[in-house]
Amino acid sequence: MNKAGFPEYGEATEDVLAAVKDLAAGDIDWRSGRAFSLVYHPGDEELERLLHEVALIYLHENALNPFKYPSLVQMENDVVDMAAALFHTVPRAGTMSSGGTESIFLAVHTAREWAAQRKGVTNPNVVTASTAHPAFAKACHYLCVEHRRAPVGADLRADPAEMARLVDANTVLVVGSAPCYPFGVIDPIPELASLAMEREALCHVDACLGGWLLPWWERLGEPVPPWDFRVDGVTSLSADVHKYGYTFKGASVILYRDPEMVRYQWFLYDDWPGGLYGSITTAGTRPAAPIAGAWATIKFLGADGYLRKAEQVRSATRGFLDAVAAIPELSVTGKPDMSVFEFGAAEGSDLDIGGVGDVMDDRGWNLDRQPGGLHVMVSPYHVNVVDQFGTDLADAVASHRASQGKAAGYGGIAVDKPSHREALCIFAL
Ligand SMILES: Cc1ncc(COP(=O)(O)O)c(C=O)c1O
């Protein structure tokens, strides 16, 4: 990787722009529909044009100071209220954040503060299933909260009995996923919420992935286990508008059953010469464009638009699952509830699934590697590439070579060995 020295002189606009385009040309080509999970491709040029305009209007604005930006306060409140209606809690019961990880941080922080102030807990822990997103491990690490992880059941869902064994008087939060990232299955939220209520802990549903799709999945008549605030005992929920909400990056919501809980998120400080500093999320200066983008996307799509997108996701998901099922050497892991799944070598097959992934890479597909196989996250645009996926996958299974050894990787990590502990952060190379 080139190490850039500080430029002595400024460059002409067109040169800078050409250099940016040149750099971007080497990035993943998500518009072709061959990428998964990094971009939720809605396949909607009008929405894209709208978002470009909205982003431009708010490019330089700062959501840090609500008094200077009443428009952003209005839009953030609207997004929170629209999400509250969708997930069945009351208006004003949350905030926006920059993404799933920040929403999860805020949920853990709120639970820690709530338990400290209301129950005197000084040594808090959070209980999750082993399939919970690493954002919980990260939040616990940063916030000095113990993270307890329970094994999942044979169906890959959180096992309430195993989780109950880890809950004690210092447990501030019990977590379920709707669905979990690796296998796309929804945890038994009612049982986890009951467990939390019995032990006087809070219960968070990580619907970062599913929050903006499951309501439409349900309306399409698909079986959706209970997962939102309609479940007694669910006290908070995170849902990313920048995933199946189809806005650009930097937009999530963190919601509570009780709007009073939002005050545990606040950070107020006046012990410095700059006057009272108040902040409701982890960032200080907050980019405005994602707030406006989320607002505009929800207004543009409305329930009918989201339903149409969900139909496309469902159709593409069925197509991808059929393509996998048509190949005897392959099988899907578990029984995914939505549009996210892993597939790997079928039982009894000695197929080198990493080698299959390599051939798919060569053909321009970007399937994330997991320890158990390849990961698929379906977006509306994928409905256009189902047939090609099936053809390429069948060819890849028939013609693959031995795997080049690319091991499981997620986020900013480049891995060439199966041991995650030896992984090198790409930015540090
Ligand atoms: C279930 C789940 N939770 C949390 C996150 C974290 O979201 P973000 O990457 O926006 O921080 C993800 C990301 O894919 C996820 O799938």
Side-chain angles (χ1 to χ4, degrees):
M1 194 177 282
N2 287 337
K3 302 274 186 203
F6 194 84
E8 196 69 33
Y9 303 104
E11 293 178 42
T13 312
E14 51 278 17
D15 293 346
V16 177
L17 201 54
V20 167
K21 287 184 179 167
D22 202 39
L23 283 169
D27 293 345
I28 194 169
D29 171 22
W30 58 269
R31 285 176 201 282
S32 66
R34 290 172 180 234
F36 300 89
S37 83
L38 289 170
V39 177
Y40 293 70
H41 188 350
D44 194 322
E45 287 175 12
E46 205 178 330
L47 173 59
E48 201 175 333
R49 275 197 302 277
L50 170 68
L51 289 182
H52 287 185
E53 285 209 30
V54 170
L56 213 54
I57 295 170
Y58 279 96
L59 192 58
H60 300 287
E61 313 313 304
N62 188 344
L64 171 64
N65 188 331
F67 304 107
K68 301 287 185 250
Y69 288 106
S71 68
L72 291 171
V73 174
Q74 167 89 47
M75 284 193 277
E76 177 165 6
N77 285 341
D78 286 355
V79 169
V80 166
D81 289 355
M82 293 186 284
L86 202 56
F87 309 137
H88 305 278
T89 185
V90 293
R92 299 296 145 86
T95 66
M96 288 188 70
S97 82
S98 63
T101 301
E102 190 182 3
S103 289
I104 286 167
F105 262 67
L106 294 169
V108 172
H109 177 261
T110 294
R112 191 192 73 178
E113 293 303 294
W114 169 84
Q117 292 175 36
R118 297 284 287 271
K119 302 202 304 172
V121 174
T122 52
N123 188 18
N125 69 69
V126 167
V127 176
T128 76
S130 56
T131 47
H133 193 275
F136 288 97
K138 191 175 175 184
C140 288
H141 177 69
Y142 276 46
L143 295 167
C144 298
V145 171
E146 185 191 347
H147 182 203
R148 299 183 174 177
R149 297 165 67 245
V152 292
D155 60 359
L156 304 171
R157 294 166 212 276
D159 180 338
E162 290 288 349
M163 295 206 22
R165 280 153 44 95
L166 300 182
V167 174
D168 63 17
N170 290 324
T171 301
V172 298
L173 193 64
V174 173
V175 174
S177 303
C180 72
Y181 175 93
F183 309 118
V185 296
I186 298 176
D187 289 334
I189 303 298
E191 283 88 335
L192 299 182
S194 301
L195 169 65
M197 276 195 296
E198 271 166 31
R199 308 289 183 91
E200 293 178 9
L202 301 179
C203 173
H204 181 79
V205 174
D206 175 9
C208 287
L209 196 45
W212 289 85
L213 184 62
L214 288 171
W216 321 111
W217 218 240
E218 188 181 336
R219 285 189 210 181
L220 287 175
E222 292 297 316
V224 176
W227 62 279
D228 60 16
F229 285 107
R230 286 172 290 182
V231 177
D232 268 357
V234 170
T235 52
S236 61
L237 183 152
S238 48
D240 297 352
V241 203
H242 68 202
K243 293 192 168 73
Y244 283 107
Y246 308 119
T247 189
F248 52 86
K249 302 288 172 275
S252 173
V253 289
I254 167 79
L255 294 177
Y256 300 93
R257 177 180 296 280
D258 175 2
E260 279 294 299
M261 292 297 280
V262 183
R263 77 183 168 86
Y264 294 106
Q265 253 187 232
W266 293 350
F267 181 78
L268 299 172
Y269 187 80
D270 63 2
D271 195 11
W272 75 315
L276 178 65
Y277 174 93
S279 168
I280 203 164
T281 58
T282 48
T285 286
R286 291 175 79 197
I291 296 173
W295 187 91
T297 307
I298 300 168
K299 290 285 197 188
F300 174 80
L301 286 174
D304 63 328
Y306 277 111
L307 208 53
R308 276 197 306 278
K309 300 278 170 229
E311 260 174 329
Q312 291 170 335
V313 173
R314 179 172 70 171
S315 165
T317 303
R318 286 176 178 167
F320 282 122
L321 287 170
D322 287 350
V324 173
I327 301 170
E329 292 96 324
L330 294 177
S331 69
V332 169
T333 312
K335 288 197 165 34
D337 286 307
M338 212 179 75
S339 54
V340 178
F341 63 92
E342 177 194 87
F343 67 94
E347 218 180 307
S349 158
D350 58 3
L351 183 76
D352 179 348
I353 192 69
V356 173
D358 293 343
V359 179
M360 293 299 273
D361 282 352
D362 293 345
R363 296 187 174 204
W365 297 94
N366 280 277
L367 293 157
D368 281 339
R369 310 295 199 273
Q370 300 197 138
L374 304 175
H375 189 257
V376 178
M377 170 100 71
V378 184
S379 294
Y381 186 84
H382 285 132
V383 76
N384 300 303
V385 297
V386 166
D387 291 345
Q388 194 59 53
F389 179 83
T391 306
D392 284 347
L393 188 60
D395 285 356
V397 169
S399 71
H400 70 282
R401 312 166 296 274
S403 160
Q404 292 163 20
K406 283 185 205 163
Y410 177 111
I413 298 287
V415 198
D416 59 4
K417 297 192 181 81
S419 164
H420 291 198
R421 290 189 197 291
E422 292 175 43
L424 297 168
C425 184
I426 199 166
F427 306 114
L429 288 175

